[in-house]
Amino acid sequence: MTIKKLHPSHASLRGELKVPGDKSISHRSVIFGSLANGRTTITNFLDGEDCMRTIHAFQQMGVSIEINDQTITIDSKGIANLQEPIEPINLGNSGTTARLLLGVLAGLPFHFTLFGDESLTKRPMDRVAVPLREMGAIIDGRENGKYLPLSVRGGHLSSISFETPVKSAQVKSGVLLAGLLAEGVTSVAEKTTTRDHTENMLQAFGVKIEKQNNHISIEGKQQLAGIDIEVPGDISSAAFFLAAAAITEGSQLTIKDVGLNLTRTGIVDVLKQMGANMEVVEERSIGGEAIGRITISSSALQGQVIEGDIIPRVIDEIPLIALLATQAKGRTIIRDAEELRFKETDRIATVVNTLQALGATIEATDDGMIITGNTELKGGDVDSYGDHRIGMMIAIASLVAKDTIYLNNPACIAVSYPKFFEDLEKISR
Ligand code: S3P
């Protein structure tokens, strides 16, 4: 296994940067493009390992998908022409591929076998399998079909009214996709708003949906027509550099062409609450997705309480917020974030273990963590635990640490940001 030596740089981050395409939007663009009739062209696609899993799954179902760096061209004859794959589908590390694809496969008259890597094999799939079974799909696997590998026999689906018991856009999206293939009107209600890229993209592909507060309805059997999509920069990737600029003295950084969808910009709100100097400018909107620029400069930060409805808007940024909190004055309390336990790793445990190993004062709670700030971090041996966001959090920690950090297993960062270290280098002064 490789180890990356991260010297304490204390560099400031300066200049302008465009981060790779949004992971959630990239997945969805391939899924909807494959279900649509005609050509879909996607630019600024995230060519990380996770999104490649989604591409390969639809290639296995006979869809023509051409990859030219970050431009993807899909030529599809629509849902009716998808084919039964001969080989099992490998989902790798990708929870989004797993949950969204399950929704599609449930409505196709074929048999599928799905498997993933060690991490994905431990993540719950019953959150989507249960409603899909209720609609008529036959899904089985270990522990009554809770975990991968799964066997899916799809086919005729009936519509349902479903209230998501978990705060998860993946579950909402899986059921909406099945609803698109089902007979009748399927509705999904969620207690807390989660990212709404599925709803935005369905509409961009010509599908009619009804949305009232947190209640979404979709009539089945609608046709999708191919479109051109530009994927905004991923705010979850930008977040690493925003956090880095906030805590390294003398920084002034602009992230260009980044997605500013309000269901994703919780990190901007948290940084501002903590006292960061930031300016956010919305410049345009494509397919219902706002795009713009964020400028940030370093400043003193103050601990905060982060809880309630903001949690789904920052769910992937909580490892970073914990790191920011170690550099902020006072206490930060993160609550209502029990979903962190079901990510690529149990991120309450992996964040707390990692930051403790680096000398931070942090403790785990059932649904979050408590951090007491303004600690100088030290160096040492730490592990990404195979989780891309933990790996990148450690790299940012090394910018302010006293000694060298040895990061075990940095390769997982390629899941969402293959050129992370090159980009960090570009803006370090
Ligand atoms: C995602 C939703 C979130 C997020 C994940 C991507 C999506 O997961 O953590 O990185 O693209 O829908 P949950 O929906 O399980 O919260």
Side-chain angles (χ1 to χ4, degrees):
M1 202 176 274
T2 50
I3 294 176
K4 189 157 176 86
K5 211 169 169 181
L6 301 164
H7 297 294
S9 77
H10 296 271
S12 51
L13 301 190
R14 302 189 70 85
E16 286 197 343
L17 184 72
K18 198 170 147 64
V19 294
D22 188 275
K23 182 155 82 72
S24 294
I25 298 176
S26 294
H27 280 297
R28 286 159 174 81
S29 62
V30 172
I31 297 172
F32 292 125
S34 299
L35 300 182
N37 274 299
R39 173 166 287 194
T40 293
T41 308
I42 309 161
T43 49
N44 200 37
F45 182 80
L46 170 63
D47 54 351
E49 288 169 10
D50 268 18
C51 297
M52 288 303 166
R53 297 292 178 189
T54 301
I55 289 190
H56 292 146
F58 282 97
Q59 284 174 329
Q60 282 181 257
M61 287 186 263
V63 180
S64 154
I65 307 180
E66 239 180 68
I67 307 163
N68 226 317
D69 297 323
Q70 284 83 38
T71 301
I72 307 293
T73 310
I74 305 178
D75 284 296
S76 177
K77 297 198 181 84
I79 297 164
N81 280 281
L82 295 175
Q83 295 160 18
E84 184 163 53
I86 297 166
E87 301 284 336
I89 296 174
N90 184 356
L91 305 163
N93 191 248
S94 181
T96 308
T97 311
R99 274 73 173 253
L100 271 60
L101 196 63
L102 275 169
V104 175
L105 305 187
L108 299 176
F110 306 126
H111 178 260
F112 305 89
T113 309
L114 307 177
F115 69 101
D117 71 3
E118 198 187 327
S119 150
L120 195 61
T121 303
K122 290 186 197 136
R123 296 175 67 186
M125 296 297 148
D126 54 340
R127 43 181 57 200
V128 218
V130 167
L132 296 180
R133 276 195 209 111
E134 206 185 308
M135 296 175 83
I138 299 168
I139 302 175
D140 207 354
R142 277 188 307 128
E143 295 192 28
N144 292 320
K146 181 169 181 184
Y147 296 112
L148 293 167
L150 289 178
S151 144
V152 180
R153 180 160 289 283
H156 179 83
L157 299 180
S158 334
S159 55
I160 52 166
S161 288
F162 180 65
E163 190 170 325
T164 54
V166 284
K167 294 175 255 185
S168 164
Q170 294 179 353
V171 174
K172 169 178 70 178
S173 302
V175 177
L176 286 175
L177 279 162
L180 178 67
L181 276 66
E183 212 60 68
V185 177
T186 292
S187 64
V188 181
E190 50 182 3
K191 288 192 198 90
T192 313
T193 309
T194 61
R195 64 190 67 192
D196 61 0
H197 307 301
T198 296
E199 297 92 302
N200 293 342
M201 205 177 283
L202 277 167
Q203 289 172 306
F205 272 92
V207 173
K208 288 199 180 70
I209 59 166
E210 265 182 44
K211 202 170 172 179
Q212 263 179 348
N213 302 319
N214 285 343
H215 196 111
I216 306 130
S217 306
I218 183 167
E219 173 147 18
K221 309 287 180 194
Q222 297 186 60
Q223 298 296 316
L224 285 72
I227 57 169
D228 290 345
I229 301 173
E230 177 195 335
V231 181
D234 196 329
I235 190 156
S236 295
S237 298
F240 290 97
F241 303 124
L242 296 176
I247 58 176
T248 51
E249 238 171 81
S251 293
Q252 161 106 32
L253 182 69
T254 297
I255 309 282
K256 297 187 293 184
D257 297 326
V258 66
L260 296 175
N261 178 319
L262 286 177
T263 63
R264 296 286 299 284
T265 49
I267 184 65
V268 171
D269 299 351
V270 169
L271 274 164
K272 280 186 179 165
Q273 257 180 47
M274 294 181 92
N277 286 324
M278 295 179 93
E279 195 196 18
V280 180
V281 183
E282 199 180 307
E283 293 168 328
R284 57 208 164 97
S285 171
I286 295 184
E289 298 288 344
I291 303 179
R293 57 173 57 222
I294 305 176
T295 300
I296 185 164
S297 51
S298 50
S299 58
L301 301 180
Q302 181 69 48
Q304 298 295 328
V305 176
I306 296 147
E307 61 184 352
D309 287 355
I310 199 170
I311 294 296
R313 299 178 56 230
V314 288
I315 192 71
D316 291 340
E317 287 67 70
I318 290 178
L320 257 185
I321 294 171
L323 171 64
L324 284 168
T326 69
Q327 304 304 299
K329 253 206 192 147
R331 224 154 62 125
T332 293
I333 302 175
I334 301 169
R335 291 193 195 107
D336 303 322
E338 61 287 338
E339 272 298 304
L340 288 176
R341 299 213 180 264
F342 306 105
K343 298 296 173 191
E344 285 80 336
T345 54
D346 170 347
R347 284 191 182 147
I348 294 180
T350 51
V351 166
V352 169
N353 289 347
T354 304
L355 291 176
Q356 270 176 356
L358 296 175
T361 308
I362 177 168
E363 60 179 281
T365 60
D366 286 348
D367 65 348
M369 49 197 100
I370 301 172
I371 306 109
T372 306
N374 246 354
T375 318
E376 188 177 26
L377 298 178
K378 56 185 188 180
D381 290 331
V382 281
D383 205 312
S384 68
Y385 298 97
D387 183 334
H388 55 131
R389 297 201 199 278
I390 302 294
M392 288 187 276
M393 175 197 76
I394 292 168
I396 301 304
S398 78
L399 300 178
V400 294
K402 209 162 49 170
D403 311 300
T404 303
I405 294 178
Y406 297 88
L407 168 61
N408 217 317
N409 191 8
C412 58
I413 291 175
V415 153
S416 68
Y417 204 152
K419 296 203 168 119
F420 173 77
F421 285 107
E422 280 160 75
D423 280 356
L424 181 56
E425 186 74 21
K426 267 193 220 160
I427 50 174
S428 297
R429 304 280 186 272

